[in-house]
Amino acid sequence: MDLDLVVNIIDENGYLGLFLWLWFGVFILPVPNEVILMTVGMASSQGALTPMLAFGVTYLGISAAFTSSYFFGRVIGRRLLQIMRRKKRFANSIESAMELMQKYHVFSLSLSCFVPGARYLVPILYGISRLSFRTFAIFAYSGAFIWVLIAFVLGYLFGDKMDLIMRYSDELWLVVLAGVIVFITIMVRRRKVKETATEMDQAIYQERQHK
């Protein structure tokens, strides 16, 4: 992505323009989201943007895009899903997103931020399933924060080596994804252990009550 494009957006429309561009642009621009985020980070490192403000606007724009996907799923998701299933390109992504949801449950909202094919599908699917907005917000916004932070910092620190980063971007994000999966797997297992312990305590309590 051209650095001048980001600078021009700020010059012409201010940070509000950047926010709206990130909110709606991620759905229509044929550019990986990571490239957009790293470009904003690089622009910040070169003084074209105020770093903290640029990061905040970027995070809010991406969060708005996730939120739109969620409510889009609640409103017309089922009809959209039927149309998308007929196209092989989307059908494969939908299956991958569903597998992610079945394996990691609500944690898949955080994990999907690091998976391009599932990034905006998972919020749509949870919107269709009527997951409460509070639960959606907790997991989607926390995952988005970590994802945006990593991409922004990479662009900020290594923007002058963007070509090298993009060359090995698949390997880089696989490492990051693996780390996130390990973390979420640990959290899921701890949650299951706590639920099992709670069920055992309740069973013991009920048994004592019957005696």
PDB file of all heavy atoms in Angstrom, residues 142-155:
ATOM      1  N   SER A 142     -11.227  -7.363  22.339  1.00  0.00           N
ATOM      2  CA  SER A 142      -9.926  -7.687  22.937  1.00  0.00           C
ATOM      3  C   SER A 142      -9.005  -8.317  21.894  1.00  0.00           C
ATOM      4  O   SER A 142      -7.811  -8.000  21.823  1.00  0.00           O
ATOM      5  CB  SER A 142     -10.106  -8.633  24.130  1.00  0.00           C
ATOM      6  OG  SER A 142     -10.738  -9.844  23.729  1.00  0.00           O
ATOM      7  N   GLY A 143      -9.549  -9.221  21.063  1.00  0.00           N
ATOM      8  CA  GLY A 143      -8.744  -9.823  20.001  1.00  0.00           C
ATOM      9  C   GLY A 143      -8.306  -8.789  18.984  1.00  0.00           C
ATOM     10  O   GLY A 143      -7.154  -8.801  18.522  1.00  0.00           O
ATOM     11  N   ALA A 144      -9.210  -7.860  18.640  1.00  0.00           N
ATOM     12  CA  ALA A 144      -8.874  -6.799  17.684  1.00  0.00           C
ATOM     13  C   ALA A 144      -7.769  -5.911  18.225  1.00  0.00           C
ATOM     14  O   ALA A 144      -6.876  -5.488  17.473  1.00  0.00           O
ATOM     15  CB  ALA A 144     -10.115  -5.967  17.379  1.00  0.00           C
ATOM     16  N   PHE A 145      -7.809  -5.627  19.517  1.00  0.00           N
ATOM     17  CA  PHE A 145      -6.785  -4.768  20.121  1.00  0.00           C
ATOM     18  C   PHE A 145      -5.400  -5.392  19.977  1.00  0.00           C
ATOM     19  O   PHE A 145      -4.437  -4.718  19.587  1.00  0.00           O
ATOM     20  CB  PHE A 145      -7.096  -4.526  21.595  1.00  0.00           C
ATOM     21  CG  PHE A 145      -6.104  -3.615  22.275  1.00  0.00           C
ATOM     22  CD1 PHE A 145      -6.256  -2.244  22.196  1.00  0.00           C
ATOM     23  CD2 PHE A 145      -5.026  -4.135  22.980  1.00  0.00           C
ATOM     24  CE1 PHE A 145      -5.337  -1.396  22.814  1.00  0.00           C
ATOM     25  CE2 PHE A 145      -4.103  -3.306  23.587  1.00  0.00           C
ATOM     26  CZ  PHE A 145      -4.265  -1.923  23.512  1.00  0.00           C
ATOM     27  N   ILE A 146      -5.291  -6.676  20.292  1.00  0.00           N
ATOM     28  CA  ILE A 146      -3.996  -7.360  20.200  1.00  0.00           C
ATOM     29  C   ILE A 146      -3.513  -7.422  18.754  1.00  0.00           C
ATOM     30  O   ILE A 146      -2.345  -7.147  18.459  1.00  0.00           O
ATOM     31  CB  ILE A 146      -4.094  -8.782  20.796  1.00  0.00           C
ATOM     32  CG1 ILE A 146      -4.430  -8.711  22.284  1.00  0.00           C
ATOM     33  CG2 ILE A 146      -2.791  -9.552  20.581  1.00  0.00           C
ATOM     34  CD1 ILE A 146      -4.772 -10.048  22.900  1.00  0.00           C
ATOM     35  N   TRP A 147      -4.428  -7.759  17.841  1.00  0.00           N
ATOM     36  CA  TRP A 147      -4.073  -7.867  16.426  1.00  0.00           C
ATOM     37  C   TRP A 147      -3.627  -6.527  15.850  1.00  0.00           C
ATOM     38  O   TRP A 147      -2.588  -6.425  15.201  1.00  0.00           O
ATOM     39  CB  TRP A 147      -5.270  -8.412  15.659  1.00  0.00           C
ATOM     40  CG  TRP A 147      -5.129  -8.364  14.171  1.00  0.00           C
ATOM     41  CD1 TRP A 147      -4.135  -8.917  13.416  1.00  0.00           C
ATOM     42  CD2 TRP A 147      -6.016  -7.718  13.252  1.00  0.00           C
ATOM     43  NE1 TRP A 147      -4.350  -8.662  12.080  1.00  0.00           N
ATOM     44  CE2 TRP A 147      -5.500  -7.924  11.950  1.00  0.00           C
ATOM     45  CE3 TRP A 147      -7.203  -7.001  13.401  1.00  0.00           C
ATOM     46  CZ2 TRP A 147      -6.122  -7.428  10.816  1.00  0.00           C
ATOM     47  CZ3 TRP A 147      -7.831  -6.518  12.268  1.00  0.00           C
ATOM     48  CH2 TRP A 147      -7.281  -6.726  11.001  1.00  0.00           C
ATOM     49  N   VAL A 148      -4.412  -5.469  16.109  1.00  0.00           N
ATOM     50  CA  VAL A 148      -4.067  -4.131  15.614  1.00  0.00           C
ATOM     51  C   VAL A 148      -2.751  -3.659  16.222  1.00  0.00           C
ATOM     52  O   VAL A 148      -1.902  -3.077  15.524  1.00  0.00           O
ATOM     53  CB  VAL A 148      -5.195  -3.124  15.923  1.00  0.00           C
ATOM     54  CG1 VAL A 148      -4.756  -1.700  15.597  1.00  0.00           C
ATOM     55  CG2 VAL A 148      -6.449  -3.473  15.135  1.00  0.00           C
ATOM     56  N   LEU A 149      -2.557  -3.924  17.511  1.00  0.00           N
ATOM     57  CA  LEU A 149      -1.330  -3.499  18.178  1.00  0.00           C
ATOM     58  C   LEU A 149      -0.099  -4.146  17.549  1.00  0.00           C
ATOM     59  O   LEU A 149       0.903  -3.470  17.274  1.00  0.00           O
ATOM     60  CB  LEU A 149      -1.395  -3.849  19.669  1.00  0.00           C
ATOM     61  CG  LEU A 149      -0.164  -3.468  20.510  1.00  0.00           C
ATOM     62  CD1 LEU A 149       0.026  -1.958  20.512  1.00  0.00           C
ATOM     63  CD2 LEU A 149      -0.298  -4.001  21.930  1.00  0.00           C
ATOM     64  N   ILE A 150      -0.162  -5.447  17.299  1.00  0.00           N
ATOM     65  CA  ILE A 150       0.982  -6.158  16.711  1.00  0.00           C
ATOM     66  C   ILE A 150       1.301  -5.608  15.323  1.00  0.00           C
ATOM     67  O   ILE A 150       2.453  -5.296  15.004  1.00  0.00           O
ATOM     68  CB  ILE A 150       0.696  -7.671  16.633  1.00  0.00           C
ATOM     69  CG1 ILE A 150       0.657  -8.275  18.035  1.00  0.00           C
ATOM     70  CG2 ILE A 150       1.772  -8.382  15.794  1.00  0.00           C
ATOM     71  CD1 ILE A 150       0.208  -9.720  18.062  1.00  0.00           C
ATOM     72  N   ALA A 151       0.267  -5.470  14.475  1.00  0.00           N
ATOM     73  CA  ALA A 151       0.482  -4.990  13.108  1.00  0.00           C
ATOM     74  C   ALA A 151       0.964  -3.540  13.108  1.00  0.00           C
ATOM     75  O   ALA A 151       1.871  -3.175  12.337  1.00  0.00           O
ATOM     76  CB  ALA A 151      -0.804  -5.119  12.301  1.00  0.00           C
ATOM     77  N   PHE A 152       0.389  -2.714  13.970  1.00  0.00           N
ATOM     78  CA  PHE A 152       0.771  -1.301  14.048  1.00  0.00           C
ATOM     79  C   PHE A 152       2.226  -1.158  14.487  1.00  0.00           C
ATOM     80  O   PHE A 152       2.991  -0.384  13.897  1.00  0.00           O
ATOM     81  CB  PHE A 152      -0.148  -0.569  15.023  1.00  0.00           C
ATOM     82  CG  PHE A 152       0.074   0.923  15.100  1.00  0.00           C
ATOM     83  CD1 PHE A 152      -0.624   1.776  14.264  1.00  0.00           C
ATOM     84  CD2 PHE A 152       0.973   1.458  16.005  1.00  0.00           C
ATOM     85  CE1 PHE A 152      -0.427   3.155  14.334  1.00  0.00           C
ATOM     86  CE2 PHE A 152       1.191   2.826  16.077  1.00  0.00           C
ATOM     87  CZ  PHE A 152       0.488   3.684  15.241  1.00  0.00           C
ATOM     88  N   VAL A 153       2.612  -1.905  15.515  1.00  0.00           N
ATOM     89  CA  VAL A 153       3.984  -1.833  16.030  1.00  0.00           C
ATOM     90  C   VAL A 153       4.984  -2.347  14.999  1.00  0.00           C
ATOM     91  O   VAL A 153       6.071  -1.781  14.835  1.00  0.00           O
ATOM     92  CB  VAL A 153       4.109  -2.623  17.351  1.00  0.00           C
ATOM     93  CG1 VAL A 153       5.565  -2.766  17.765  1.00  0.00           C
ATOM     94  CG2 VAL A 153       3.323  -1.922  18.460  1.00  0.00           C
ATOM     95  N   LEU A 154       4.632  -3.407  14.277  1.00  0.00           N
ATOM     96  CA  LEU A 154       5.504  -3.906  13.219  1.00  0.00           C
ATOM     97  C   LEU A 154       5.751  -2.830  12.162  1.00  0.00           C
ATOM     98  O   LEU A 154       6.886  -2.621  11.720  1.00  0.00           O
ATOM     99  CB  LEU A 154       4.898  -5.149  12.559  1.00  0.00           C
ATOM    100  CG  LEU A 154       5.006  -6.464  13.318  1.00  0.00           C
ATOM    101  CD1 LEU A 154       4.211  -7.554  12.616  1.00  0.00           C
ATOM    102  CD2 LEU A 154       6.474  -6.890  13.427  1.00  0.00           C
ATOM    103  N   GLY A 155       4.688  -2.144  11.769  1.00  0.00           N
ATOM    104  CA  GLY A 155       4.835  -1.078  10.784  1.00  0.00           C
ATOM    105  C   GLY A 155       5.614   0.100  11.338  1.00  0.00           C
ATOM    106  O   GLY A 155       6.416   0.713  10.630  1.00  0.00           O
TER     107      GLY A 155
END
